[in-house]
PDB file of all heavy atoms in Angstrom:
ATOM      1  N   ALA A  28      64.868 118.664 126.767  1.00  0.00           N
ATOM      2  CA  ALA A  28      64.273 117.678 125.890  1.00  0.00           C
ATOM      3  C   ALA A  28      63.229 116.880 126.604  1.00  0.00           C
ATOM      4  O   ALA A  28      62.108 116.543 126.087  1.00  0.00           O
ATOM      5  CB  ALA A  28      65.194 116.751 125.326  1.00  0.00           C
ATOM      6  N   ASN A  29      63.403 116.604 127.827  1.00  0.00           N
ATOM      7  CA  ASN A  29      62.551 115.854 128.796  1.00  0.00           C
ATOM      8  C   ASN A  29      61.407 116.693 129.436  1.00  0.00           C
ATOM      9  O   ASN A  29      60.416 116.216 129.874  1.00  0.00           O
ATOM     10  CB  ASN A  29      63.297 115.119 129.860  1.00  0.00           C
ATOM     11  CG  ASN A  29      64.216 114.092 129.356  1.00  0.00           C
ATOM     12  OD1 ASN A  29      63.957 113.409 128.366  1.00  0.00           O
ATOM     13  ND2 ASN A  29      65.373 113.950 130.006  1.00  0.00           N
ATOM     14  N   CYS A  30      61.680 117.971 129.467  1.00  0.00           N
ATOM     15  CA  CYS A  30      60.858 118.897 130.230  1.00  0.00           C
ATOM     16  C   CYS A  30      59.773 119.552 129.404  1.00  0.00           C
ATOM     17  O   CYS A  30      58.678 119.740 129.829  1.00  0.00           O
ATOM     18  CB  CYS A  30      61.605 119.959 130.957  1.00  0.00           C
ATOM     19  SG  CYS A  30      60.753 121.064 132.043  1.00  0.00           S
ATOM     20  N   THR A  31      60.131 120.033 128.200  1.00  0.00           N
ATOM     21  CA  THR A  31      59.233 120.767 127.406  1.00  0.00           C
ATOM     22  C   THR A  31      59.468 120.520 125.884  1.00  0.00           C
ATOM     23  O   THR A  31      60.508 120.194 125.449  1.00  0.00           O
ATOM     24  CB  THR A  31      59.447 122.297 127.637  1.00  0.00           C
ATOM     25  OG1 THR A  31      58.452 123.033 126.872  1.00  0.00           O
ATOM     26  CG2 THR A  31      60.776 122.725 127.313  1.00  0.00           C
ATOM     27  N   LYS A  32      58.353 120.814 125.154  1.00  0.00           N
ATOM     28  CA  LYS A  32      58.406 120.760 123.768  1.00  0.00           C
ATOM     29  C   LYS A  32      58.351 122.114 123.025  1.00  0.00           C
ATOM     30  O   LYS A  32      58.157 122.259 121.759  1.00  0.00           O
ATOM     31  CB  LYS A  32      57.134 119.919 123.183  1.00  0.00           C
ATOM     32  CG  LYS A  32      57.157 118.457 123.578  1.00  0.00           C
ATOM     33  CD  LYS A  32      55.970 117.732 123.050  1.00  0.00           C
ATOM     34  CE  LYS A  32      56.034 116.253 123.514  1.00  0.00           C
ATOM     35  NZ  LYS A  32      54.849 115.499 122.922  1.00  0.00           N
ATOM     36  N   ALA A  33      58.572 123.149 123.850  1.00  0.00           N
ATOM     37  CA  ALA A  33      58.614 124.474 123.305  1.00  0.00           C
ATOM     38  C   ALA A  33      59.798 124.690 122.441  1.00  0.00           C
ATOM     39  O   ALA A  33      60.845 124.104 122.621  1.00  0.00           O
ATOM     40  CB  ALA A  33      58.641 125.540 124.567  1.00  0.00           C
ATOM     41  N   GLU A  34      59.656 125.678 121.487  1.00  0.00           N
ATOM     42  CA  GLU A  34      60.678 125.912 120.610  1.00  0.00           C
ATOM     43  C   GLU A  34      61.848 126.496 121.257  1.00  0.00           C
ATOM     44  O   GLU A  34      61.770 127.119 122.335  1.00  0.00           O
ATOM     45  CB  GLU A  34      60.118 126.875 119.486  1.00  0.00           C
ATOM     46  CG  GLU A  34      59.087 126.291 118.631  1.00  0.00           C
ATOM     47  CD  GLU A  34      58.523 127.301 117.536  1.00  0.00           C
ATOM     48  OE1 GLU A  34      59.103 128.461 117.569  1.00  0.00           O
ATOM     49  OE2 GLU A  34      57.593 126.981 116.874  1.00  0.00           O
ATOM     50  N   GLU A  35      63.137 126.395 120.757  1.00  0.00           N
ATOM     51  CA  GLU A  35      64.255 126.932 121.222  1.00  0.00           C
ATOM     52  C   GLU A  35      64.161 128.428 121.261  1.00  0.00           C
ATOM     53  O   GLU A  35      63.657 129.077 120.389  1.00  0.00           O
ATOM     54  CB  GLU A  35      65.472 126.529 120.362  1.00  0.00           C
ATOM     55  CG  GLU A  35      66.818 126.807 121.037  1.00  0.00           C
ATOM     56  CD  GLU A  35      67.027 125.771 122.178  1.00  0.00           C
ATOM     57  OE1 GLU A  35      66.636 124.640 122.101  1.00  0.00           O
ATOM     58  OE2 GLU A  35      67.640 126.219 123.238  1.00  0.00           O
ATOM     59  N   GLY A  36      64.505 128.986 122.479  1.00  0.00           N
ATOM     60  CA  GLY A  36      64.430 130.405 122.675  1.00  0.00           C
ATOM     61  C   GLY A  36      63.150 130.739 123.510  1.00  0.00           C
ATOM     62  O   GLY A  36      63.168 131.864 124.081  1.00  0.00           O
ATOM     63  N   LYS A  37      62.230 129.863 123.660  1.00  0.00           N
ATOM     64  CA  LYS A  37      61.058 130.055 124.426  1.00  0.00           C
ATOM     65  C   LYS A  37      61.163 129.318 125.708  1.00  0.00           C
ATOM     66  O   LYS A  37      61.808 128.269 125.769  1.00  0.00           O
ATOM     67  CB  LYS A  37      59.742 129.706 123.700  1.00  0.00           C
ATOM     68  CG  LYS A  37      59.491 130.453 122.408  1.00  0.00           C
ATOM     69  CD  LYS A  37      58.148 130.158 121.836  1.00  0.00           C
ATOM     70  CE  LYS A  37      57.817 130.981 120.677  1.00  0.00           C
ATOM     71  NZ  LYS A  37      56.431 130.718 120.042  1.00  0.00           N
ATOM     72  N   HIS A  38      60.603 129.863 126.777  1.00  0.00           N
ATOM     73  CA  HIS A  38      60.731 129.310 128.093  1.00  0.00           C
ATOM     74  C   HIS A  38      59.590 128.413 128.388  1.00  0.00           C
ATOM     75  O   HIS A  38      58.431 128.550 127.870  1.00  0.00           O
ATOM     76  CB  HIS A  38      60.836 130.354 129.140  1.00  0.00           C
ATOM     77  CG  HIS A  38      62.158 131.244 128.844  1.00  0.00           C
ATOM     78  ND1 HIS A  38      63.360 130.817 128.600  1.00  0.00           N
ATOM     79  CD2 HIS A  38      62.182 132.694 128.846  1.00  0.00           C
ATOM     80  CE1 HIS A  38      64.240 131.786 128.382  1.00  0.00           C
ATOM     81  NE2 HIS A  38      63.452 132.940 128.509  1.00  0.00           N
ATOM     82  N   ARG A  39      59.800 127.501 129.319  1.00  0.00           N
ATOM     83  CA  ARG A  39      58.726 126.531 129.842  1.00  0.00           C
ATOM     84  C   ARG A  39      57.674 127.170 130.490  1.00  0.00           C
ATOM     85  O   ARG A  39      57.867 128.067 131.397  1.00  0.00           O
ATOM     86  CB  ARG A  39      59.438 125.483 130.707  1.00  0.00           C
ATOM     87  CG  ARG A  39      58.463 124.463 131.428  1.00  0.00           C
ATOM     88  CD  ARG A  39      57.949 123.503 130.363  1.00  0.00           C
ATOM     89  NE  ARG A  39      57.560 122.228 130.982  1.00  0.00           N
ATOM     90  CZ  ARG A  39      56.254 121.961 131.369  1.00  0.00           C
ATOM     91  NH1 ARG A  39      55.338 122.838 131.259  1.00  0.00           N
ATOM     92  NH2 ARG A  39      56.001 120.735 131.826  1.00  0.00           N
ATOM     93  N   LYS A  40      56.413 126.839 130.132  1.00  0.00           N
ATOM     94  CA  LYS A  40      55.174 127.428 130.758  1.00  0.00           C
ATOM     95  C   LYS A  40      54.422 126.371 131.454  1.00  0.00           C
ATOM     96  O   LYS A  40      54.439 125.163 131.016  1.00  0.00           O
ATOM     97  CB  LYS A  40      54.299 128.052 129.760  1.00  0.00           C
ATOM     98  CG  LYS A  40      54.811 129.480 129.223  1.00  0.00           C
ATOM     99  CD  LYS A  40      53.805 130.218 128.386  1.00  0.00           C
ATOM    100  CE  LYS A  40      54.361 131.540 127.993  1.00  0.00           C
ATOM    101  NZ  LYS A  40      53.319 132.191 127.086  1.00  0.00           N
ATOM    102  N   LEU A  41      53.810 126.641 132.563  1.00  0.00           N
ATOM    103  CA  LEU A  41      53.109 125.706 133.307  1.00  0.00           C
ATOM    104  C   LEU A  41      51.660 126.249 133.562  1.00  0.00           C
ATOM    105  O   LEU A  41      51.636 127.360 134.220  1.00  0.00           O
ATOM    106  CB  LEU A  41      53.873 125.334 134.694  1.00  0.00           C
ATOM    107  CG  LEU A  41      53.141 124.498 135.736  1.00  0.00           C
ATOM    108  CD1 LEU A  41      52.828 123.055 135.088  1.00  0.00           C
ATOM    109  CD2 LEU A  41      53.892 124.336 136.937  1.00  0.00           C
ATOM    110  N   ALA A  42      50.658 125.548 133.108  1.00  0.00           N
ATOM    111  CA  ALA A  42      49.272 125.975 133.448  1.00  0.00           C
ATOM    112  C   ALA A  42      48.714 125.185 134.487  1.00  0.00           C
ATOM    113  O   ALA A  42      48.568 123.855 134.409  1.00  0.00           O
ATOM    114  CB  ALA A  42      48.435 125.909 132.085  1.00  0.00           C
ATOM    115  N   VAL A  43      48.356 125.743 135.604  1.00  0.00           N
ATOM    116  CA  VAL A  43      47.830 125.097 136.822  1.00  0.00           C
ATOM    117  C   VAL A  43      46.384 125.421 137.016  1.00  0.00           C
ATOM    118  O   VAL A  43      45.970 126.529 137.155  1.00  0.00           O
ATOM    119  CB  VAL A  43      48.602 125.471 138.064  1.00  0.00           C
ATOM    120  CG1 VAL A  43      48.056 124.727 139.252  1.00  0.00           C
ATOM    121  CG2 VAL A  43      50.094 125.162 137.867  1.00  0.00           C
ATOM    122  N   ASN A  44      45.423 124.317 136.934  1.00  0.00           N
ATOM    123  CA  ASN A  44      44.069 124.458 137.255  1.00  0.00           C
ATOM    124  C   ASN A  44      43.899 124.194 138.777  1.00  0.00           C
ATOM    125  O   ASN A  44      43.867 123.068 139.259  1.00  0.00           O
ATOM    126  CB  ASN A  44      43.317 123.405 136.386  1.00  0.00           C
ATOM    127  CG  ASN A  44      41.831 123.676 136.544  1.00  0.00           C
ATOM    128  OD1 ASN A  44      41.294 124.220 137.528  1.00  0.00           O
ATOM    129  ND2 ASN A  44      40.969 123.265 135.528  1.00  0.00           N
ATOM    130  N   VAL A  45      43.770 125.197 139.526  1.00  0.00           N
ATOM    131  CA  VAL A  45      43.808 125.155 140.957  1.00  0.00           C
ATOM    132  C   VAL A  45      42.559 124.399 141.443  1.00  0.00           C
ATOM    133  O   VAL A  45      42.716 123.500 142.366  1.00  0.00           O
ATOM    134  CB  VAL A  45      43.784 126.577 141.600  1.00  0.00           C
ATOM    135  CG1 VAL A  45      43.724 126.419 143.139  1.00  0.00           C
ATOM    136  CG2 VAL A  45      45.000 127.297 141.262  1.00  0.00           C
ATOM    137  N   ARG A  46      41.468 124.617 140.858  1.00  0.00           N
ATOM    138  CA  ARG A  46      40.212 123.924 141.322  1.00  0.00           C
ATOM    139  C   ARG A  46      40.205 122.479 140.999  1.00  0.00           C
ATOM    140  O   ARG A  46      39.930 121.580 141.868  1.00  0.00           O
ATOM    141  CB  ARG A  46      38.944 124.537 140.660  1.00  0.00           C
ATOM    142  CG  ARG A  46      37.634 123.892 141.099  1.00  0.00           C
ATOM    143  CD  ARG A  46      36.457 124.771 140.606  1.00  0.00           C
ATOM    144  NE  ARG A  46      36.456 124.879 139.185  1.00  0.00           N
ATOM    145  CZ  ARG A  46      35.583 125.631 138.628  1.00  0.00           C
ATOM    146  NH1 ARG A  46      34.685 126.395 139.299  1.00  0.00           N
ATOM    147  NH2 ARG A  46      35.548 125.717 137.274  1.00  0.00           N
ATOM    148  N   TRP A  47      40.748 122.096 139.817  1.00  0.00           N
ATOM    149  CA  TRP A  47      40.940 120.682 139.391  1.00  0.00           C
ATOM    150  C   TRP A  47      41.946 119.976 140.398  1.00  0.00           C
ATOM    151  O   TRP A  47      41.725 118.815 140.776  1.00  0.00           O
ATOM    152  CB  TRP A  47      41.353 120.629 138.112  1.00  0.00           C
ATOM    153  CG  TRP A  47      41.708 119.211 137.542  1.00  0.00           C
ATOM    154  CD1 TRP A  47      42.865 118.779 137.001  1.00  0.00           C
ATOM    155  CD2 TRP A  47      40.858 118.107 137.481  1.00  0.00           C
ATOM    156  NE1 TRP A  47      42.744 117.422 136.616  1.00  0.00           N
ATOM    157  CE2 TRP A  47      41.481 116.968 136.945  1.00  0.00           C
ATOM    158  CE3 TRP A  47      39.548 117.925 137.884  1.00  0.00           C
ATOM    159  CZ2 TRP A  47      40.946 115.753 136.651  1.00  0.00           C
ATOM    160  CZ3 TRP A  47      38.914 116.667 137.639  1.00  0.00           C
ATOM    161  CH2 TRP A  47      39.669 115.552 137.101  1.00  0.00           C
ATOM    162  N   ALA A  48      43.037 120.685 140.777  1.00  0.00           N
ATOM    163  CA  ALA A  48      44.016 120.092 141.663  1.00  0.00           C
ATOM    164  C   ALA A  48      43.367 119.919 143.192  1.00  0.00           C
ATOM    165  O   ALA A  48      43.683 118.791 143.683  1.00  0.00           O
ATOM    166  CB  ALA A  48      45.204 121.133 141.796  1.00  0.00           C
ATOM    167  N   GLN A  49      42.563 120.822 143.501  1.00  0.00           N
ATOM    168  CA  GLN A  49      41.899 120.683 144.767  1.00  0.00           C
ATOM    169  C   GLN A  49      40.864 119.521 144.792  1.00  0.00           C
ATOM    170  O   GLN A  49      40.701 118.689 145.756  1.00  0.00           O
ATOM    171  CB  GLN A  49      41.127 121.947 145.211  1.00  0.00           C
ATOM    172  CG  GLN A  49      42.118 123.116 145.603  1.00  0.00           C
ATOM    173  CD  GLN A  49      41.338 124.436 145.719  1.00  0.00           C
ATOM    174  OE1 GLN A  49      40.175 124.543 145.371  1.00  0.00           O
ATOM    175  NE2 GLN A  49      42.098 125.410 146.277  1.00  0.00           N
ATOM    176  N   GLN A  50      40.182 119.378 143.577  1.00  0.00           N
ATOM    177  CA  GLN A  50      39.208 118.219 143.520  1.00  0.00           C
ATOM    178  C   GLN A  50      39.902 116.879 143.487  1.00  0.00           C
ATOM    179  O   GLN A  50      39.453 115.951 144.175  1.00  0.00           O
ATOM    180  CB  GLN A  50      38.392 118.475 142.134  1.00  0.00           C
ATOM    181  CG  GLN A  50      37.449 119.570 142.277  1.00  0.00           C
ATOM    182  CD  GLN A  50      36.816 119.894 140.866  1.00  0.00           C
ATOM    183  OE1 GLN A  50      37.336 119.382 139.858  1.00  0.00           O
ATOM    184  NE2 GLN A  50      35.753 120.633 140.908  1.00  0.00           N
ATOM    185  N   LYS A  51      41.039 116.867 142.798  1.00  0.00           N
ATOM    186  CA  LYS A  51      41.745 115.591 142.834  1.00  0.00           C
ATOM    187  C   LYS A  51      42.304 115.203 144.187  1.00  0.00           C
ATOM    188  O   LYS A  51      42.329 114.002 144.608  1.00  0.00           O
ATOM    189  CB  LYS A  51      42.983 115.597 141.822  1.00  0.00           C
ATOM    190  CG  LYS A  51      42.454 115.755 140.355  1.00  0.00           C
ATOM    191  CD  LYS A  51      43.578 115.226 139.359  1.00  0.00           C
ATOM    192  CE  LYS A  51      44.821 116.175 139.403  1.00  0.00           C
ATOM    193  NZ  LYS A  51      45.816 115.816 138.409  1.00  0.00           N
ATOM    194  N   GLU A  52      42.762 116.216 144.831  1.00  0.00           N
ATOM    195  CA  GLU A  52      43.158 115.984 146.329  1.00  0.00           C
ATOM    196  C   GLU A  52      42.081 115.496 147.216  1.00  0.00           C
ATOM    197  O   GLU A  52      42.212 114.675 148.046  1.00  0.00           O
ATOM    198  CB  GLU A  52      43.860 117.303 146.853  1.00  0.00           C
ATOM    199  CG  GLU A  52      44.361 117.248 148.332  1.00  0.00           C
ATOM    200  CD  GLU A  52      45.418 116.133 148.412  1.00  0.00           C
ATOM    201  OE1 GLU A  52      46.222 115.895 147.470  1.00  0.00           O
ATOM    202  OE2 GLU A  52      45.473 115.492 149.520  1.00  0.00           O
ATOM    203  N   TYR A  53      40.841 116.005 146.903  1.00  0.00           N
ATOM    204  CA  TYR A  53      39.702 115.667 147.731  1.00  0.00           C
ATOM    205  C   TYR A  53      39.465 114.127 147.526  1.00  0.00           C
ATOM    206  O   TYR A  53      39.089 113.458 148.364  1.00  0.00           O
ATOM    207  CB  TYR A  53      38.517 116.419 147.328  1.00  0.00           C
ATOM    208  CG  TYR A  53      37.170 115.850 147.665  1.00  0.00           C
ATOM    209  CD1 TYR A  53      36.588 116.100 148.858  1.00  0.00           C
ATOM    210  CD2 TYR A  53      36.504 115.093 146.713  1.00  0.00           C
ATOM    211  CE1 TYR A  53      35.424 115.562 149.215  1.00  0.00           C
ATOM    212  CE2 TYR A  53      35.163 114.585 147.112  1.00  0.00           C
ATOM    213  CZ  TYR A  53      34.690 114.723 148.336  1.00  0.00           C
ATOM    214  OH  TYR A  53      33.465 114.166 148.687  1.00  0.00           O
ATOM    215  N   VAL A  54      39.417 113.677 146.153  1.00  0.00           N
ATOM    216  CA  VAL A  54      39.272 112.390 145.821  1.00  0.00           C
ATOM    217  C   VAL A  54      40.244 111.370 146.477  1.00  0.00           C
ATOM    218  O   VAL A  54      39.897 110.350 147.072  1.00  0.00           O
ATOM    219  CB  VAL A  54      39.236 112.119 144.335  1.00  0.00           C
ATOM    220  CG1 VAL A  54      39.100 110.683 143.873  1.00  0.00           C
ATOM    221  CG2 VAL A  54      38.091 112.921 143.653  1.00  0.00           C
ATOM    222  N   ARG A  55      41.499 111.791 146.422  1.00  0.00           N
ATOM    223  CA  ARG A  55      42.605 110.962 147.067  1.00  0.00           C
ATOM    224  C   ARG A  55      42.325 110.844 148.565  1.00  0.00           C
ATOM    225  O   ARG A  55      42.541 109.729 149.071  1.00  0.00           O
ATOM    226  CB  ARG A  55      43.931 111.560 146.723  1.00  0.00           C
ATOM    227  CG  ARG A  55      44.337 111.420 145.287  1.00  0.00           C
ATOM    228  CD  ARG A  55      45.803 111.757 145.134  1.00  0.00           C
ATOM    229  NE  ARG A  55      46.023 113.173 145.286  1.00  0.00           N
ATOM    230  CZ  ARG A  55      46.098 114.072 144.306  1.00  0.00           C
ATOM    231  NH1 ARG A  55      45.907 113.681 143.047  1.00  0.00           N
ATOM    232  NH2 ARG A  55      46.405 115.298 144.586  1.00  0.00           N
ATOM    233  N   MET A  56      42.025 111.991 149.179  1.00  0.00           N
ATOM    234  CA  MET A  56      41.774 111.896 150.610  1.00  0.00           C
ATOM    235  C   MET A  56      40.581 111.077 150.987  1.00  0.00           C
ATOM    236  O   MET A  56      40.577 110.267 151.968  1.00  0.00           O
ATOM    237  CB  MET A  56      41.595 113.426 151.183  1.00  0.00           C
ATOM    238  CG  MET A  56      41.365 113.480 152.646  1.00  0.00           C
ATOM    239  SD  MET A  56      40.829 115.132 153.065  1.00  0.00           S
ATOM    240  CE  MET A  56      39.216 115.182 152.337  1.00  0.00           C
ATOM    241  N   LYS A  57      39.486 111.264 150.208  1.00  0.00           N
ATOM    242  CA  LYS A  57      38.303 110.498 150.527  1.00  0.00           C
ATOM    243  C   LYS A  57      38.494 108.954 150.380  1.00  0.00           C
ATOM    244  O   LYS A  57      38.052 108.273 151.229  1.00  0.00           O
ATOM    245  CB  LYS A  57      37.120 110.955 149.616  1.00  0.00           C
ATOM    246  CG  LYS A  57      36.264 112.155 150.119  1.00  0.00           C
ATOM    247  CD  LYS A  57      35.555 111.669 151.415  1.00  0.00           C
ATOM    248  CE  LYS A  57      34.873 112.852 152.060  1.00  0.00           C
ATOM    249  NZ  LYS A  57      34.285 112.460 153.376  1.00  0.00           N
ATOM    250  N   LEU A  58      39.082 108.611 149.263  1.00  0.00           N
ATOM    251  CA  LEU A  58      39.224 107.181 149.031  1.00  0.00           C
ATOM    252  C   LEU A  58      40.358 106.547 149.950  1.00  0.00           C
ATOM    253  O   LEU A  58      40.352 105.325 149.937  1.00  0.00           O
ATOM    254  CB  LEU A  58      39.560 106.960 147.566  1.00  0.00           C
ATOM    255  CG  LEU A  58      38.477 107.327 146.515  1.00  0.00           C
ATOM    256  CD1 LEU A  58      38.868 106.972 145.137  1.00  0.00           C
ATOM    257  CD2 LEU A  58      37.166 106.625 146.847  1.00  0.00           C
ATOM    258  N   SER A  59      41.079 107.347 150.613  1.00  0.00           N
ATOM    259  CA  SER A  59      42.025 106.760 151.624  1.00  0.00           C
ATOM    260  C   SER A  59      41.230 106.464 152.860  1.00  0.00           C
ATOM    261  O   SER A  59      41.881 105.685 153.751  1.00  0.00           O
ATOM    262  CB  SER A  59      43.119 107.841 151.896  1.00  0.00           C
ATOM    263  OG  SER A  59      42.648 108.975 152.486  1.00  0.00           O
ATOM    264  N   GLU A  60      40.115 107.062 153.067  1.00  0.00           N
ATOM    265  CA  GLU A  60      39.291 106.663 154.308  1.00  0.00           C
ATOM    266  C   GLU A  60      38.743 105.244 154.166  1.00  0.00           C
ATOM    267  O   GLU A  60      38.346 104.784 153.086  1.00  0.00           O
ATOM    268  CB  GLU A  60      38.128 107.690 154.447  1.00  0.00           C
ATOM    269  CG  GLU A  60      38.595 109.095 154.683  1.00  0.00           C
ATOM    270  CD  GLU A  60      37.489 110.091 154.654  1.00  0.00           C
ATOM    271  OE1 GLU A  60      36.281 109.662 154.627  1.00  0.00           O
ATOM    272  OE2 GLU A  60      37.659 111.373 154.815  1.00  0.00           O
ATOM    273  N   GLU A  61      38.627 104.626 155.235  1.00  0.00           N
ATOM    274  CA  GLU A  61      38.248 103.173 155.219  1.00  0.00           C
ATOM    275  C   GLU A  61      36.797 102.960 154.705  1.00  0.00           C
ATOM    276  O   GLU A  61      36.546 102.152 153.851  1.00  0.00           O
ATOM    277  CB  GLU A  61      38.305 102.466 156.615  1.00  0.00           C
ATOM    278  CG  GLU A  61      37.949 101.033 156.697  1.00  0.00           C
ATOM    279  CD  GLU A  61      38.183 100.529 158.073  1.00  0.00           C
ATOM    280  OE1 GLU A  61      38.610 101.193 158.973  1.00  0.00           O
ATOM    281  OE2 GLU A  61      37.810  99.283 158.257  1.00  0.00           O
ATOM    282  N   LYS A  62      35.857 103.766 155.187  1.00  0.00           N
ATOM    283  CA  LYS A  62      34.521 103.580 154.768  1.00  0.00           C
ATOM    284  C   LYS A  62      34.288 103.999 153.283  1.00  0.00           C
ATOM    285  O   LYS A  62      33.597 103.175 152.566  1.00  0.00           O
ATOM    286  CB  LYS A  62      33.630 104.477 155.739  1.00  0.00           C
ATOM    287  CG  LYS A  62      32.066 104.379 155.361  1.00  0.00           C
ATOM    288  CD  LYS A  62      31.270 105.255 156.170  1.00  0.00           C
ATOM    289  CE  LYS A  62      29.730 105.129 155.870  1.00  0.00           C
ATOM    290  NZ  LYS A  62      28.860 105.936 156.699  1.00  0.00           N
ATOM    291  N   ALA A  63      34.814 105.077 152.926  1.00  0.00           N
ATOM    292  CA  ALA A  63      34.700 105.493 151.514  1.00  0.00           C
ATOM    293  C   ALA A  63      35.395 104.548 150.612  1.00  0.00           C
ATOM    294  O   ALA A  63      34.874 104.184 149.453  1.00  0.00           O
ATOM    295  CB  ALA A  63      35.216 106.977 151.313  1.00  0.00           C
ATOM    296  N   GLY A  64      36.584 104.092 150.970  1.00  0.00           N
ATOM    297  CA  GLY A  64      37.317 103.068 150.189  1.00  0.00           C
ATOM    298  C   GLY A  64      36.454 101.854 150.015  1.00  0.00           C
ATOM    299  O   GLY A  64      36.530 101.235 148.911  1.00  0.00           O
ATOM    300  N   HIS A  65      35.809 101.394 151.080  1.00  0.00           N
ATOM    301  CA  HIS A  65      34.965 100.181 151.011  1.00  0.00           C
ATOM    302  C   HIS A  65      33.814 100.368 150.076  1.00  0.00           C
ATOM    303  O   HIS A  65      33.477  99.503 149.287  1.00  0.00           O
ATOM    304  CB  HIS A  65      34.558  99.852 152.448  1.00  0.00           C
ATOM    305  CG  HIS A  65      33.622  98.630 152.399  1.00  0.00           C
ATOM    306  ND1 HIS A  65      34.034  97.400 152.306  1.00  0.00           N
ATOM    307  CD2 HIS A  65      32.161  98.577 152.569  1.00  0.00           C
ATOM    308  CE1 HIS A  65      32.945  96.573 152.209  1.00  0.00           C
ATOM    309  NE2 HIS A  65      31.855  97.344 152.496  1.00  0.00           N
ATOM    310  N   LEU A  66      33.187 101.521 150.088  1.00  0.00           N
ATOM    311  CA  LEU A  66      32.020 101.786 149.231  1.00  0.00           C
ATOM    312  C   LEU A  66      32.469 101.890 147.745  1.00  0.00           C
ATOM    313  O   LEU A  66      31.808 101.285 146.939  1.00  0.00           O
ATOM    314  CB  LEU A  66      31.400 103.171 149.636  1.00  0.00           C
ATOM    315  CG  LEU A  66      30.450 103.169 150.737  1.00  0.00           C
ATOM    316  CD1 LEU A  66      30.046 104.656 151.028  1.00  0.00           C
ATOM    317  CD2 LEU A  66      29.185 102.298 150.374  1.00  0.00           C
ATOM    318  N   TYR A  67      33.646 102.457 147.485  1.00  0.00           N
ATOM    319  CA  TYR A  67      34.116 102.464 146.091  1.00  0.00           C
ATOM    320  C   TYR A  67      34.470 101.108 145.620  1.00  0.00           C
ATOM    321  O   TYR A  67      34.180 100.759 144.466  1.00  0.00           O
ATOM    322  CB  TYR A  67      35.274 103.370 145.993  1.00  0.00           C
ATOM    323  CG  TYR A  67      35.724 103.544 144.531  1.00  0.00           C
ATOM    324  CD1 TYR A  67      35.086 104.345 143.576  1.00  0.00           C
ATOM    325  CD2 TYR A  67      36.808 102.869 144.108  1.00  0.00           C
ATOM    326  CE1 TYR A  67      35.480 104.463 142.392  1.00  0.00           C
ATOM    327  CE2 TYR A  67      37.227 102.947 142.729  1.00  0.00           C
ATOM    328  CZ  TYR A  67      36.525 103.807 141.940  1.00  0.00           C
ATOM    329  OH  TYR A  67      36.922 103.857 140.559  1.00  0.00           O
TER     330      TYR A  67
END
């Protein structure tokens, strides 16, 4: 009930956007830097 809204009998699916995940990681890494964080 907490994990999925799929109908009973169907299994949980997970769609992963690899490029979007890499971009988000890039943003987190950049803004953790002192200079970039100050600019933001």
Side-chain angles (χ1 to χ4, degrees):
N29 296 324
C30 183
T31 181
K32 294 181 180 179
E34 297 177 3
E35 195 67 38
K37 293 185 177 180
H38 303 310
R39 173 71 155 94
K40 287 186 178 181
L41 173 63
V43 179
N44 188 335
V45 177
R46 183 167 59 187
W47 175 237
Q49 292 171 346
Q50 289 171 347
K51 292 202 295 183
E52 180 59 32
Y53 163 85
V54 172
R55 289 191 292 266
M56 179 191 69
K57 270 292 172 188
L58 294 183
S59 65
E60 297 175 3
E61 183 178 354
K62 182 180 179 180
H65 175 72
L66 277 174
Y67 184 77

